[in-house]
Amino acid sequence: DNTVTLGDDSRRFKDLYLSGGVFLGGTGAANKLDDYEYGDYQVSLTPSGGGSITVSGSHNDLKYTKIGSRVFVSGKIDTSAASSPSGYIKVTLPFAIHNGGTANDSRRVNGSIWVANSALNTYEFQLYGIGGESFVRIYNGSGTGLASTAANQFSGDEALCFDFHYETNP
């Protein structure tokens, strides 16, 4: 028990194929890594109150990395058109947000969004996640709370940069 080392600095293994997971740093369930993937996914922006926001065909995807149940999302997308958008903006995710049953939705998505060419300052946009949803919300956070008016600020010539993470279903 805990006496055998596989490989060393000069004798490494090339590939490892497992039918289950790997335990890192312990034998408890929390130490088991059984899922890892990464890739790109196409994004859509949907105003909650109506209208539309079109994402540019050449800049319409974000990158994600999923380690266990933690998902990291980053990248830049551009809008190419907007038609009377209103409400908050729904941004599609590669996996649904975990619904842990707690009432504190504000901590479900952590990270930042940066929006260029908008009527609002970039710091006035906020990300917000609701458990069980397959999208993250963009709100106007310029006042003392979140307002459902972020989509109203889009004209179809915005650049959105994302860097956030969230928990998905285990």
Side-chain angles (χ1 to χ4, degrees), residues 78-138:
D78 294 328
T79 63
S80 59
S83 177
S84 304
S86 65
Y88 60 84
I89 301 169
K90 301 176 187 179
V91 181
T92 52
L93 295 172
F95 305 96
I97 299 170
H98 176 63
N99 190 358
T102 63
N104 194 347
D105 288 323
S106 65
R107 289 185 286 182
R108 294 192 193 274
V109 173
N110 294 295
S112 61
I113 179 174
W114 178 82
V115 181
N117 300 327
S118 166
L120 291 177
N121 294 313
T122 191
Y123 63 84
E124 294 178 304
F125 290 99
Q126 301 294 319
L127 295 174
Y128 193 81
I130 302 290
E133 293 183 344
S134 295
F135 54 87
V136 64
R137 299 171 182 212
I138 301 174

Side-chain angles (χ1 to χ4, degrees), residues 145-168:
L146 298 176
S148 296
T149 58
N152 308 37
Q153 313 305 318
F154 278 59
S155 63
D157 186 33
E158 291 76 25
L160 294 83
C161 295
F162 295 92
D163 187 15
F164 65 92
H165 60 92
Y166 67 97
E167 191 81 15
T168 190

Side-chain angles (χ1 to χ4, degrees), residues 61-72:
D61 59 358
L62 295 175
K63 297 201 173 298
Y64 75 90
T65 301
K66 182 176 182 281
I67 304 171
S69 60
R70 179 63 57 182
V71 182
F72 300 86

Side-chain angles (χ1 to χ4, degrees), residues 8-81:
D8 61 32
D9 291 345
S10 61
R11 292 184 297 268
R12 299 174 297 163
F13 289 86
K14 181 180 178 297
D15 292 313
L16 177 64
Y17 297 90
L18 302 171
S19 61
V22 61
F23 289 87
L24 302 171
T27 58
N31 297 86
K32 185 177 182 182
L33 176 61
D34 59 359
D35 188 16
Y36 174 86
E37 69 176 90
Y38 66 93
D40 299 337
Y41 76 100
Q42 287 193 345
V43 176
S44 66
L45 303 178
T46 306
S48 66
S52 65
I53 300 172
T54 304
V55 179
S56 170
S58 59
H59 292 101
N60 65 350
D61 59 358
L62 295 175
K63 297 201 173 298
Y64 75 90
T65 301
K66 182 176 182 281
I67 304 171
S69 60
R70 179 63 57 182
V71 182
F72 300 86
V73 177
S74 63
K76 175 184 174 278
I77 60 173
D78 294 328
T79 63
S80 59

